[in-house]
Amino acid sequence: MLRPHLSIDAAAMHGGRFAGIRLHDDGEEHFHELSDEEKDALAKFIWREDNIELTTVGIDIGSSTSHLMFAKVHLQRKSKSLSSGYIVVNRTILWKSSILLTPFLPDNSIDAGRLNRFIQDAYRAAGLERDDIDSGAVILTGEAIKRSNAEAIAALFAADSGKFVCASAGHHLECMLAAQGSGAAAISRATHRTVLNVDIGGGTTKFARIKNGVVVATCAVAVGGRLIVRDADLRCTRLDQAAQQTADSLGLRLQLGGAIDNAAIDRIADALAEVVIACIRGEPPGGLAQTLLLTEELAMDRAPDLITFSGGVSEYLFNRETRDYGDIAKPLAGRIGRAFADGRIKAALTDPGNGIRATVIGASQFTVQVSGKTIHLSRNVPLPLHNVPVIFPRIAVDRPFCADDVVREIRAALKRSDLDAAQTVAVAIRWRGDPYYSILRTLANGIAVALDNTAASPLILVIDGDVGKVMGNILEYELKVLRPVVSVDGVQLDEMDFVDIGALIEPAYVVPIVIKSLLFTPTLSPAISPAS
């Protein structure tokens, strides 16, 4: 953060009034009354020391819809804890785009040209230039994460690569993004109740079971509002594989370009709704549900207290949308809503409020921290590193654990984020207790086993306690991991963060860390309606 130059050498309160202190050649301090201009400059200087304002953009490019949002984010230093970190104290939405049906070319790749025009039009409508944007997040889901599409989309933001976090969201990560962005996780934290968030998009339905604000289980099925699309003549213009499988299970013959009558649409919507209802009720998947399951089934130890919905289909469920776009979103929502009305789903139906914009509800925030001095950097580590995804294994180092526990938790964290062990990831650890060698060695053993030791990318470890150097030495010199090691401490990260790790600063021997967190809106007063 740049500090404005002031003509005042220092400032103090003198007799209840601001006074400047100047050191003259005679070595004596002389007080003088500050002018209004100097007072204003001093006030701005003090404010900027502890406050950052950023203009951000969030862009969600999915298999069915795309949209974006601009916001102004106010971050404030956590001065009470003498921290170098910042927290978000306010966010103001500046402008929201309309919802665009994601444009595809005949070869089923995204029409990058049309998408680019949509984004450029949004900037103009919001009265913003690309240079006005400090940070942003581009979230790719569904068909958008296929290689040909991802490459075309990446080209749209190549010039802004230093500003943007780009996340290709697999099924589990989509579940977590929807749970956070919808407000469901905030409801769970505020009420201390178990919440099941059901995000029904165009091609998939994502489930996230949340306890006390933490996502503890996820699941996805191939059920969505745009698996089938018809034109004004009822001819099929889109027919996803899941829709074809559903039709086959019902004995219906569908084909792209052929007519599909309303009776067939009703039967398909009924069958797909039953898959979602069965998952909500915790029933073991069978038949069509088993066919459409995209992940392992949802782990349910008890029925949820609340059911929240997000995604495009939720707009119909909560009566925010009534138009028909030639797809099955409206009938699908109607049938799921009836399951609450007739008592088949007994938990309270809850509107978390963010609907179709759950995934893109925030762009990204910058939190700048500086590592501690007890860090370890391999000689061949390629600094700086940009947009490294963070995984947060749930390891309690203040309780007994073994290396196998570490391996299991790291692999579970990779799975939650749809990452693999060979990728460049930052493993975040909360350190509690004393730095006994036996504990550090056990932790390092588990990390070395869980992460691919043959990969060329760096092994990055970020710890909030002052044990970074010791952990790095154990990994590189005792366990002799082949990957270059970056082990920094004094930094706090969370799941779904991304980090930039800057070049080494000498002679302090620290590295700057820029934390880019997906920014979600807290839900302060959830609207909970009874299941009736």
Side-chain angles (χ1 to χ4, degrees):
M1 181 171 57
L2 297 177
R3 298 187 177 186
H5 173 75
L6 295 179
S7 61
I8 307 162
D9 298 296
M13 288 295 293
H14 179 66
R17 306 174 71 177
F18 275 111
I21 305 174
R22 293 187 184 277
L23 291 175
H24 290 266
D25 293 338
D26 58 9
E28 296 183 4
E29 295 180 353
H30 299 270
F31 285 87
H32 77 284
E33 187 71 24
L34 296 183
S35 68
D36 289 342
E37 182 180 347
E38 289 174 326
K39 290 178 182 178
D40 183 60
L42 179 60
K44 289 179 179 178
F45 172 76
I46 293 172
W47 191 89
R48 288 172 183 167
E49 282 290 284
D50 292 319
N51 294 270
I52 299 173
E53 285 190 334
L54 301 172
T55 301
T56 66
V57 59
I59 303 172
D60 181 9
I61 302 171
S63 58
S64 295
T65 61
S66 298
H67 48 115
L68 63 158
M69 176 189 300
F70 297 99
K72 179 74 73 174
V73 180
H74 177 194
L75 302 100
Q76 195 168 76
R77 189 195 303 272
K78 295 182 287 187
S79 54
K80 289 185 179 180
S81 59
L82 302 178
S83 170
S84 60
Y86 290 78
I87 59 172
V88 175
V89 295
N90 186 47
R91 191 199 69 206
T92 303
I93 294 174
L94 301 177
W95 189 86
K96 295 179 183 179
S97 77
S98 58
I99 305 297
L100 172 73
L101 295 179
T102 302
F104 284 87
L105 296 170
D107 64 356
N108 206 35
S109 64
I110 283 181
D111 187 341
R114 186 176 170 194
L115 188 61
N116 187 46
R117 289 193 295 274
F118 173 73
I119 294 170
Q120 296 301 325
D121 289 345
Y123 272 83
R124 281 192 291 271
L128 294 169
E129 301 288 342
R130 286 188 181 268
D131 289 344
D132 296 327
I133 303 302
D134 298 299
S135 175
V138 183
I139 306 298
L140 312 179
T141 60
E143 291 291 322
I145 64 175
K146 291 184 176 179
R147 181 176 299 275
S148 60
N149 290 328
E151 290 175 352
I153 292 165
L156 300 180
F157 304 101
D160 301 309
S161 59
K163 295 181 179 181
F164 285 99
V165 170
C166 291
S168 296
H171 299 308
H172 292 291
L173 182 55
E174 276 196 75
C175 294
M176 296 180 67
L177 287 171
Q180 295 287 346
S182 65
I187 291 174
S188 176
R189 278 193 298 272
T191 63
H192 301 288
R193 301 168 83 177
T194 300
V195 175
L196 178 64
N197 188 65
V198 185
D199 184 90
I200 311 179
T204 58
T205 296
K206 284 76 65 179
F207 302 88
R209 188 161 62 88
I210 312 161
K211 287 185 176 181
N212 293 318
V214 177
V215 176
V216 295
T218 58
C219 172
V221 294
V223 175
R226 289 185 67 79
L227 296 179
I228 298 176
V229 179
R230 299 181 297 171
D231 62 17
D233 297 323
L234 305 186
R235 295 195 176 277
C236 182
T237 60
R238 175 172 174 170
L239 182 63
D240 281 17
Q241 182 182 5
Q244 186 68 69
Q245 291 172 321
T246 304
D248 291 344
S249 73
L250 299 171
L252 297 172
R253 298 185 63 182
L254 304 183
Q255 64 180 14
L256 197 63
I260 306 177
D261 61 26
N262 291 333
I265 291 293
D266 287 342
R267 291 183 64 190
I268 291 170
D270 279 335
L272 292 172
E274 287 302 316
V275 171
V276 175
I277 293 166
C279 290
I280 293 173
R281 287 164 53 90
E283 298 172 359
L288 181 61
Q290 184 66 49
T291 301
L292 300 182
L293 195 63
L294 297 171
T295 63
E296 69 280 357
E297 63 184 275
L298 186 67
M300 294 267 276
D301 56 1
R302 58 181 291 270
D305 302 306
L306 307 172
I307 309 289
T308 58
F309 283 86
S310 58
V313 174
S314 74
E315 300 294 331
Y316 292 98
L317 192 60
F318 296 118
N319 300 313
R320 289 191 290 265
E321 180 62 83
T322 59
R323 290 170 291 180
D324 190 332
Y325 291 94
D327 52 31
I328 58 172
K330 190 173 183 178
L332 185 62
R335 284 153 178 79
I336 294 171
R338 263 201 306 273
F340 286 90
D342 63 22
R344 293 180 63 200
I345 301 176
K346 300 187 183 303
L349 173 62
T350 307
D351 181 3
N354 290 322
I356 195 171
R357 299 184 189 272
T359 302
V360 74
I361 204 63
S364 68
Q365 73 189 54
F366 271 97
T367 304
V368 182
Q369 298 186 34
V370 177
S371 69
K373 294 185 178 182
T374 52
I375 67 175
H376 175 94
L377 301 174
S378 295
R379 290 185 179 181
N380 59 338
V381 67
L383 295 180
L385 297 168
H386 296 287
N387 293 337
V388 178
V390 173
I391 63 168
F392 201 130
R394 292 161 186 169
I395 303 167
V397 297
D398 56 344
R399 295 197 294 269
F401 66 94
C402 64
D404 287 343
D405 295 329
V406 177
V407 173
R408 183 181 62 253
E409 292 299 329
I410 288 178
R411 288 176 177 169
L414 287 166
K415 187 175 183 180
R416 285 195 299 271
S417 298
D418 292 294
L419 300 167
D420 64 60
Q423 289 180 254
T424 302
V425 298
V427 181
I429 301 292
R430 291 271 192 272
W431 184 260
R432 299 292 180 269
D434 296 317
Y436 293 117
Y437 174 80
S438 60
I439 298 175
L440 294 169
R441 177 64 186 246
T442 301
L443 180 61
N445 281 339
I447 292 170
V449 172
L451 298 178
D452 185 355
N453 197 25
T454 63
S457 57
L459 190 162
I460 302 172
L461 186 62
V462 183
I463 312 174
D464 58 355
D466 294 327
V467 293
K469 188 176 185 64
V470 177
M471 283 294 296
N473 286 339
I474 293 173
L475 285 165
E476 182 166 0
Y477 300 124
E478 295 185 22
L479 299 179
K480 300 188 183 302
V481 299
L482 300 179
R483 303 171 70 167
V485 176
V486 177
S487 182
V488 299
D489 55 25
V491 177
Q492 291 189 358
L493 298 176
D494 288 303
E495 205 154 43
M496 293 193 296
D497 282 348
F498 293 77
V499 294
D500 292 351
I501 302 176
L504 182 67
I505 299 173
E506 295 282 17
Y509 203 74
V510 298
V511 291
I513 310 289
V514 176
I515 303 171
K516 303 172 181 179
S517 305
L518 294 176
L519 176 60
F520 300 109
T521 303
T523 301
L524 301 179
S525 53
I528 301 175
S529 61
S532 58

